[in-house]
């Protein structure tokens, strides 16, 4: 968290916002105190002591106003919905959740699915480590989609039926849906791989599924592509911007949800300039 704060504070974007705020505040204080000094010269000095005081007040106020925010929202001009970016734990969010998975919908924790991954935590926390039940729910959801998998006999661990990138299954109840989006390819070496093209396509498929089964309720997701299936050469902030751009673009075509919440892990902050990200998200939502 501290490294993330320093990363944002040391950025050019923060310095420019801080400087602009400082000059505006200092100018406002000076403009206000000059006429007051005329009537109360003994109580409102404008000498060296007064200038130093004004500088300190301006610096402190500008820091407070422009300090990097770990939660911010931007409304989309049309339709009536918004995008929120925040830090936290995705699985503790209320409402619908998006869980990124691979193209075979693997669930076996260990060598196949890491316990620390979101998929691993989804199994242990939401399904109480009941892998059989999770597999049954996934199989039933795939049957509802009428999508037939292609068996890969060369994959010796985990599941073998591969489904098209972008396949999204819906689990849970009307109160809380879980959208499992297959955005990565699980290699036979058990290394998941994806690309920006795969992610963009998967997001478009995801929004369509949420339109149908999300009932317009808010939906939360992590930074897809930033975990163990990391997309080569794609920084976390780029992935977030891509997700926001996809959601905004699709929302303008047809309403998806009242709010998209992108949840960033505190450990990811050191890779994200929150000041620049907030500015960009605001522009994308316009």
């Amino acid at each position: 968290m501290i490294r993330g704060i320093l990363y944002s504070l040391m950025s050019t974007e923060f310095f420019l916002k801080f400087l602009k705020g400082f000059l505006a505040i200092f100018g406002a204080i000076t403009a206000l105190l000059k006429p007051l000094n005329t009537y109360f010269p003994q109580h409102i000095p404008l000498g060296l002591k007064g200038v130093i005081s004004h500088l300190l007040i301006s610096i402190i106020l500008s820091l407070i106003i422009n300090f990097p925010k770990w939660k911010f929202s931007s409304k989309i001009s049309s339709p009536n919905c918004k995008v929120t970016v925040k830090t936290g734990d995705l699985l503790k969010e209320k409402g619908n959740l998006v869980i990124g998975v691979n193209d075979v919908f693997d669930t076996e924790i260990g060598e196949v699915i890491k316990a620390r991954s979101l998929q691993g935590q989804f199994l242990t926390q939401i399904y109480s480590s009941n892998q059989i039940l999770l597999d049954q729910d996934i199989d039933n959801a795939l049957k509802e989609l009428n999508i037939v998998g292609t068996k890969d006999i060369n994959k010796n661990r985990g599941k073998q039926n591969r489904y098209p990138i972008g396949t999204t299954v819906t689990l849970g109840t009307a109160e809380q849906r879980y959208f499992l989006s297959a955005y990565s390819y699980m290699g036979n070496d058990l290394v998941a791989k994806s690309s920006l093209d795969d992610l963009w396509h998967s997001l478009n498929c995801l929004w369509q599924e949420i339109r149908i089964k999300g009932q317009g309720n808010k939906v939360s997701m992590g930074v897809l592509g930033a975990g163990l299936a990391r997309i080569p050469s794609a920084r976390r902030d780029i992935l977030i911007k891509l997700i926001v751009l996809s959601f905004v673009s699709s929302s303008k075509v047809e309403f998806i949800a009242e709010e998209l919440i992108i949840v960033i892990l505190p450990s990811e902050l050191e890779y994200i300039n929150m000041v620049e990200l907030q500015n960009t998200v605001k522009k994308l939502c316009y």
Side-chain angles (χ1 to χ4, degrees):
M1 177 69 80
I2 295 177
R3 292 178 64 181
I5 294 174
L6 291 175
Y7 181 71
S8 294
L9 288 177
M10 294 172 63
S11 67
T12 302
E13 291 79 10
F14 173 76
F15 175 75
L16 292 176
K17 285 189 69 175
F18 164 78
L19 181 60
K20 183 178 179 180
F22 165 77
L23 292 175
I25 294 170
F26 186 80
I29 292 176
T30 302
L32 178 64
L33 293 184
K34 276 187 177 181
L36 291 177
N37 176 259
T38 304
Y39 299 101
F40 310 101
Q42 294 180 343
H43 300 285
I44 305 178
L46 292 180
L48 180 61
K49 184 178 180 181
V51 171
I52 293 175
S53 299
H54 303 162
L55 285 172
L56 290 175
I57 292 173
S58 300
I59 289 173
I60 294 172
L61 287 178
S62 185
L63 278 173
I64 293 174
I65 294 172
N66 296 296
F67 199 81
K69 295 177 176 60
W70 310 126
K71 178 180 180 180
F72 57 84
S73 298
S74 292
K75 291 185 177 180
I76 299 176
S77 56
S78 177
N80 186 22
C81 57
K82 65 179 179 178
V83 173
T84 297
V85 178
K86 60 181 290 187
T87 57
D89 183 344
L90 176 63
L91 295 181
K92 292 182 180 179
E93 292 294 314
K94 304 296 182 182
N96 300 331
L97 303 182
V98 174
I99 308 295
V101 297
N102 56 57
D103 64 327
V104 292
F105 291 87
D106 273 323
T107 56
E108 179 186 336
I109 291 182
E111 189 178 357
V112 181
I113 298 297
K114 304 301 181 185
R116 71 177 185 275
S117 70
L118 181 59
Q119 288 176 255
Q121 295 177 57
F122 177 69
L123 173 58
T124 56
Q125 295 183 34
I126 304 302
Y127 273 80
S128 302
S129 299
N130 191 336
Q131 182 184 342
I132 295 176
L133 177 59
L134 176 56
D135 285 337
Q136 288 177 346
D137 286 351
I138 291 175
D139 290 341
N140 291 334
L142 286 168
K143 289 178 182 177
E144 289 182 9
L145 294 175
N146 293 319
I147 299 177
V148 179
T150 302
K151 190 170 184 178
D152 185 352
I153 60 174
N154 294 317
K155 187 170 182 293
N156 298 319
R157 292 293 305 275
K159 299 179 181 180
Q160 292 183 314
N161 285 337
R162 295 192 180 279
Y163 297 88
I165 292 294
T167 300
T168 304
V169 300
T170 304
L171 309 181
T173 63
E175 287 71 30
Q176 185 166 37
R177 300 288 191 189
Y178 302 102
F179 297 97
L180 275 58
S181 173
Y183 75 98
S184 65
Y185 172 86
M186 176 61 88
N188 295 335
D189 56 358
L190 302 182
V191 176
K193 299 178 182 179
S194 189
S195 67
L196 290 176
D197 286 340
D198 287 340
L199 178 58
W200 182 263
H201 174 68
S202 298
L203 289 170
N204 289 331
C205 296
L206 171 66
W207 307 141
Q208 184 59 28
E209 183 72 5
I210 293 175
R211 282 191 186 104
I212 297 171
K213 299 180 180 178
Q215 299 182 329
N217 297 327
K218 68 179 182 180
V219 58
S220 302
M221 64 189 299
V223 186
L224 293 185
L228 296 175
R230 182 160 176 76
I231 297 175
S233 304
R235 304 194 311 267
R236 285 167 174 79
D237 58 338
I238 292 177
L239 295 171
I240 295 173
K241 294 171 188 176
L242 184 69
I243 293 170
V244 173
L245 177 60
S246 177
F247 180 77
V248 172
S249 300
S250 293
S251 293
K252 289 182 179 293
V253 174
E254 187 178 355
F255 179 79
I256 300 171
E258 63 182 3
E259 182 180 10
L260 170 66
I261 303 174
I262 300 176
V263 182
I264 303 172
L265 293 172
S267 59
E268 294 178 315
L269 287 177
E270 62 181 286
Y271 306 104
I272 301 172
N273 180 348
M274 294 296 284
V275 177
E276 188 274 336
L277 180 61
Q278 183 177 1
N279 291 340
T280 303
V281 169
K282 183 177 181 180
K283 292 177 182 177
L284 290 174
C285 289
Y286 178 73

